[in-house]
């Protein structure tokens, strides 16, 4: 199989135009059923314990899966990606760098896109055709998101899943669209959730595996998944360059916060969960988030895959109790 992995969301249109099967290595790591084992295998090979679990998990997933080529985002995501590229090169794996310019400069971003297009041997016409195909699927994901926050027919975890999966369309836009269509038909017969508390989740997707159901057991539901929503290219922008300039995740925290603030108001959010990954530079951004947002914020930190621990459960319950008193 002609699979190409990538370390975080990239212009997926290019891979599909080139006839590659896209694989988001984060999804491969976390959904393969052996995420903790992959981290432990990476540590056994020499990765330090105080390195982000996602980097170690991606490394383990690449080695185990047999993927021989990947696109590594060297600017706009994890600061450890460059070193990951170097280690993977020792295994004979081809690594293609891609960088989101910090200042969102359109000329710099176009240069990065065209370098990637040249590597995969595709032109703008082919890439734009792929973009039209992907936008048809993304439009349906936007409907799932609307059904989450506006009609209360979709759980926070379901919202999370479809938006995260949009980063690589589960390897096949056609099969993924069929899954989405089936899900949308099923939601039409649901009874809306009766939430007591409406939450926003901001930050990288969680490495914790039971956060969403735990919240819903306490009559709280996440109706805004910030970064996951960004993976789905939520604005319906037809121009590919502008689509990836509007994509907030790889740029600075203030650009992200402008979008977050709009969504918090539109979705009538009561409180915010800010998830940070252990040993990640984005932990520092929590200081900015707390200064810029007026809603109550609970910061959760995760390290390795697994369920919520007892201490984190108590912190969440206390936070929800506080929010309940404010409503």
């Amino acid at each position: 199989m002609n699979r190409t992995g990538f370390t975080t969301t990239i212009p997926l249109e290019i891979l599909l135009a080139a006839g590659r099967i896209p694989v988001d290595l984060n999804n491969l790591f976390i959904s393969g059923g052996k995420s903790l084992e992959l981290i432990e295998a990476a540590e056994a090979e020499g990765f330090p314990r105080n390195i982000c679990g996602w980097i170690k998990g991606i490394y383990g997933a690449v080695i185990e899966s047999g993927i021989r080529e990947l696109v590594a985002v060297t600017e706009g995501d994890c600061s450890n990606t460059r070193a990951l590229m170097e280690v993977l090169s020792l295994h004979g794996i081809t690594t293609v760098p891609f960088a989101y310019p910090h200042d969102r400069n359109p000329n710099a971003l176009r240069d990065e896109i065209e370098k990637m297009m040249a590597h995969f041997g595709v032109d703008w016409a082919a890439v734009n055709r792929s973009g039209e195909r992907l936008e048809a699927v993304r439009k349906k994901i936007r409907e799932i998101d609307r059904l989450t926050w506006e009609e209360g027919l979709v759980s926070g975890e379901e919202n999370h899943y479809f938006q995260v999966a949009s980063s690589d369309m589960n390897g096949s836009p056609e099969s993924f669209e069929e899954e989405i269509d089936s899900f949308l038909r099923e939601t039409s017969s649901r009874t809306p959730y009766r939430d007591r508390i409406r939450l926003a989740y901001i930050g990288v997707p969680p490495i914790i595996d039971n956060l969403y159901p735990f919240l819903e057991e306490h009559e709280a539901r996440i109706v805004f998944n910030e970064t996951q929503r960004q993976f789905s290219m939520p604005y319906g922008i037809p121009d590919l360059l502008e689509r990836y300039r509007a994509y907030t995740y790889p740029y600075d925290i203030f650009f992200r916060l402008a979008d977050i603030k709009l969504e918090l108001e539109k979705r009538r959010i009561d409180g915010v969960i800010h998830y940070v990954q252990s040993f990640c530079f984005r932990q520092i951004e929590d200081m900015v988030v707390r200064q810029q947002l007026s809603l109550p914020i609970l910061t959760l930190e995760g390290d390795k895959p697994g369920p919520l621990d007892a201490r984190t459960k108590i912190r969440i319950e206390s936070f929800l109790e506080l929010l309940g008193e404010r409503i």
Side-chain angles (χ1 to χ4, degrees), residues 2 4 6 10-23 116 120 122-123 126-135 137-138 166-174 244:
N2 202 10
T4 298
F6 49 91
I10 56 169
L12 185 62
E13 295 85 345
I14 297 173
L15 296 186
L16 293 176
R20 305 301 176 93
I21 298 173
V23 181
M116 185 175 163
F120 289 103
V122 295
D123 59 19
V127 169
N128 285 331
R129 285 195 297 271
S130 291
E132 292 174 3
R133 176 71 188 93
L134 288 175
E135 283 303 295
V137 182
R138 289 165 175 161
S166 70
S167 64
D168 63 5
M169 301 284 168
N170 282 348
S172 168
E174 291 72 27
Y244 285 91

Side-chain angles (χ1 to χ4, degrees), residues 29-263:
F29 154 55
I30 209 68
S31 64
K34 299 196 299 183
S35 52
L36 190 57
E37 290 92 328
L38 293 176
I39 288 178
E40 291 172 347
E43 290 178 347
E45 289 197 31
F47 277 80
R49 288 185 58 83
N50 62 341
I51 289 292
C52 170
W54 288 99
I55 282 286
K56 290 181 283 192
I58 286 173
Y59 171 81
V62 171
I63 299 302
E64 184 182 73
S65 69
I67 286 174
R68 305 305 299 168
E69 180 180 53
L70 63 89
V71 179
V73 176
T74 57
E75 185 176 343
D77 189 38
C78 179
S79 57
N80 294 309
T81 300
R82 291 179 184 271
L84 176 66
M85 291 174 63
E86 293 165 351
V87 174
L88 288 173
S89 71
L90 297 176
H91 294 269
I93 295 166
T94 300
T95 57
V96 182
F98 182 87
Y100 288 98
H102 183 73
D103 60 0
R104 300 177 56 244
N105 182 282
N107 294 326
L109 181 57
R110 179 181 290 273
D111 287 345
E112 289 293 320
I113 289 171
E114 290 183 340
K115 282 193 292 184
M116 185 175 163
M117 288 167 57
H119 174 83
F120 289 103
V122 295
D123 59 19
W124 276 103
V127 169
N128 285 331
R129 285 195 297 271
S130 291
E132 292 174 3
R133 176 71 188 93
L134 288 175
E135 283 303 295
V137 182
R138 289 165 175 161
K139 183 177 180 180
K140 295 179 180 181
I141 296 172
R142 290 195 286 274
E143 175 63 8
I144 291 175
D145 191 32
R146 188 192 69 80
L147 292 173
T148 305
W149 71 266
E150 191 168 32
E151 297 194 23
L153 297 175
V154 176
S155 73
E157 189 166 36
E158 290 167 334
N159 179 283
H160 160 87
Y161 164 72
F162 282 103
Q163 293 183 137
V164 162
S166 70
S167 64
D168 63 5
M169 301 284 168
N170 282 348
S172 168
E174 291 72 27
S175 297
F176 188 45
E177 186 172 27
E178 290 176 5
E179 182 181 358
I180 292 169
D181 289 341
S182 175
F183 178 77
L184 287 171
R185 287 193 296 271
E186 190 265 325
T187 60
S188 65
S189 60
R190 289 185 174 185
T191 301
Y193 283 86
R194 297 186 179 277
D195 306 307
R196 188 169 59 94
I197 297 169
R198 296 169 65 87
L199 296 172
Y201 177 101
I202 67 173
V204 297
I207 208 166
I208 300 165
D209 58 21
N210 65 333
L211 173 63
Y212 294 89
F214 182 78
L215 290 168
E216 290 176 13
E217 288 171 9
H218 291 74
E219 299 180 284
R221 185 168 56 101
I222 290 172
V223 297
F224 175 48
N225 283 299
E226 179 235 343
T227 302
Q228 298 92 315
R229 172 174 170 267
Q230 287 298 316
F231 294 162
S232 70
M233 303 295 127
Y235 306 114
I237 298 172
D239 180 80
L240 183 137
L241 178 63
E242 291 304 313
R243 186 181 303 147
Y244 285 91
R245 287 186 71 235
Y247 167 50
T248 66
Y249 173 72
Y251 305 115
D252 68 58
I253 185 62
F254 298 103
F255 185 57
R256 284 177 51 207
L257 281 167
D259 176 76
I260 290 169
K261 289 176 181 178
L262 289 174
E263 295 301 321

